[in-house]
Amino acid sequence: MKYVRLTFSWFLLLLAGLGVAGATEFYNRLIALPGVVSVEELDKGFFEERYAVMFDQPLDHRNPSRGGFEQRFVVAHAGFDRPTVLVTEGYGGARALGTRYREELSERLGANQIFVEHRYFGESTPAPRNWDYLCAEQAAADLHAVREALREIYPGKWIGTGVSKGGENALIYRMYYPQDVDVTVAYVGPICFGVEDGRHEPFLDRVGTNEERAAIRAFQTEVLKRRKELVPMFEEYCRSKSYEFRTDIDEVFDLCVLEYPFSMWQWGTAVSVIPALDAPHEELLDHLIATVSPDYFAVNDEPSFFVQAQRELGYYGYDTAPFEGLLSIRGARGYLPRILLPDDARRIRFSDGLSRKIAAFYRANDPKVICIYGENDPWSAAMLDPTLFEGKQNMKLVVEPGGSHRARIKTQTEEVQSQIWKTIEGWIFGI
């Protein structure tokens, strides 16, 4: 297999050297890069050119002899003299294939945009899938390898950015390779210290107004009181979707109800959409499913995120105390490894070493980093410690009042947006 791949790579180099009919300078330089396996032209969208690239990566960057896999990244070319935005995606890369996909940083800065699909997601999944090599350090090394491959093509300033898990990845990447990017903009990226971190549950007890929290709690309570009528309907819905679970349907129903407030606040859903407590069964169930789809707890072909959460990224737990006597379960502790992990990942034990390493790096250093969070987003309970920003010249923390997991630069007030862009453009263009 290695011989075939090597031969194909030399064939690509030959084509690049001869000049493919209609090929651009950028295409020829891209396809000739070491490690590039294939280049697929995409509709250019907002850019001059766009391509989906398959790139050779080792499973273990410390020991490449252990095998490899092909990682997908999408490169959108704006110009050789432009800055470059590196999107440190935490999941699959399909969304980057769309013609309308463009990060706000790329648009504002007129920058090149490179979207790197995370290892073990989408088209970047090794076969066989050995969980030993799914960790933050290896994923950061993947980003570094892509960065090094494109270094000579894009010699300008680089910006690392990502959203949610991708935002966390942006912070991790900066920690492992502090010289790879000049600026980091991390959106709503949590840093958890446990599989059930412990800060999210009390956060949900104080977020928003008393009236909003009461409305959410009343809906949860009413749904649980009607479980005799709703669970059979819920089960029929799951059957119609062919969902399979690692537990019984009663527990899945309970977990959806427990997840409900997290989802409401995460996405900034207004409590005004909550049905009246005397609404028909169908209306209550439809709202619950629209807010928390049961497929979240179903067996899934791509459990990589939960494997990472179990190993080192952490997650959150549920407070069952307010619903004593209404749940089919005694407690929800340990739900992630029991329900969301595949059998071949059950042996993995959590380590908080990564989270502590992140905190230590940003405590000791002052890189050009902007972290953006939403005030009402439950993930903000695990935001990068605000004390790490104190007394720093470069590190900036922005918390959007009333904001959710959708918090971005463009969702801020005009005054805050202006301050953020002035800072970023000063770092990139020296203005």
Side-chain angles (χ1 to χ4, degrees), residues 7 12 34 50 66 68 87 115 117 120 139 155 159 179 221 241 258 275 286 288 305 343 368-369 376 390 410 417 426:
T7 302
L12 294 178
R50 284 196 322 131
R66 291 177 176 169
V87 182
F115 182 108
E117 184 170 67
Y120 286 69
I159 306 101
Q179 304 306 316
T221 302
K241 297 293 184 179
L258 293 171
D286 286 349
L288 175 64
F305 166 70
D343 291 341
K368 293 172 180 174
V369 167
N376 290 350
E390 295 174 359
K410 65 184 177 184
Q417 286 187 55

Side-chain angles (χ1 to χ4, degrees), residues 63 172-173 179 190 200 311-312 333 340 385 416 429:
N63 188 353
I172 292 169
Y173 176 48
Q179 304 306 316
H200 302 86
R311 168 169 280 136
E312 59 186 352
R333 190 167 182 81
L340 299 174
D385 187 348
V416 173
F429 300 118

Side-chain angles (χ1 to χ4, degrees), residues 186-201:
Y187 301 95
V188 296
I191 308 297
C192 297
F193 287 83
V195 179
E196 296 179 21
D197 179 275
R199 290 174 289 173
H200 302 86
E201 299 91 320

Side-chain angles (χ1 to χ4, degrees), residues 370-392:
I370 296 177
C371 290
I372 297 175
Y373 295 94
E375 179 187 27
N376 290 350
D377 179 12
W379 287 114
S380 293
M383 69 170 63
L384 190 63
D385 187 348
T387 65
L388 303 181
F389 296 83
E390 295 174 359
K392 301 291 181 67

Side-chain angles (χ1 to χ4, degrees), residues 24-43:
T24 65
E25 177 189 356
F26 176 66
Y27 173 86
N28 286 334
R29 293 180 67 178
L30 181 64
I31 203 167
L33 290 176
V36 168
V37 176
S38 66
V39 176
E40 177 188 353
E41 184 175 9
L42 302 173
D43 188 296

Side-chain angles (χ1 to χ4, degrees), residues 54 59 68-72 117-131 301-302 304:
M54 297 305 295
L59 272 176
F69 70 103
E70 293 178 8
Q71 183 173 41
R72 177 170 63 178
E117 184 170 67
H118 199 288
R119 61 166 49 203
Y120 286 69
F121 288 86
E123 299 300 312
S124 304
T125 302
R129 193 172 55 182
N130 184 334
W131 298 123
D301 293 332
E302 197 172 83
S304 304

Side-chain angles (χ1 to χ4, degrees), residues 86-89 103 160-168 170 185-189:
L86 178 61
V87 182
T88 58
E89 176 61 22
E103 293 294 329
T161 189
V163 174
S164 192
K165 179 168 173 280
E168 182 177 11
V185 180
Y187 301 95
V188 296

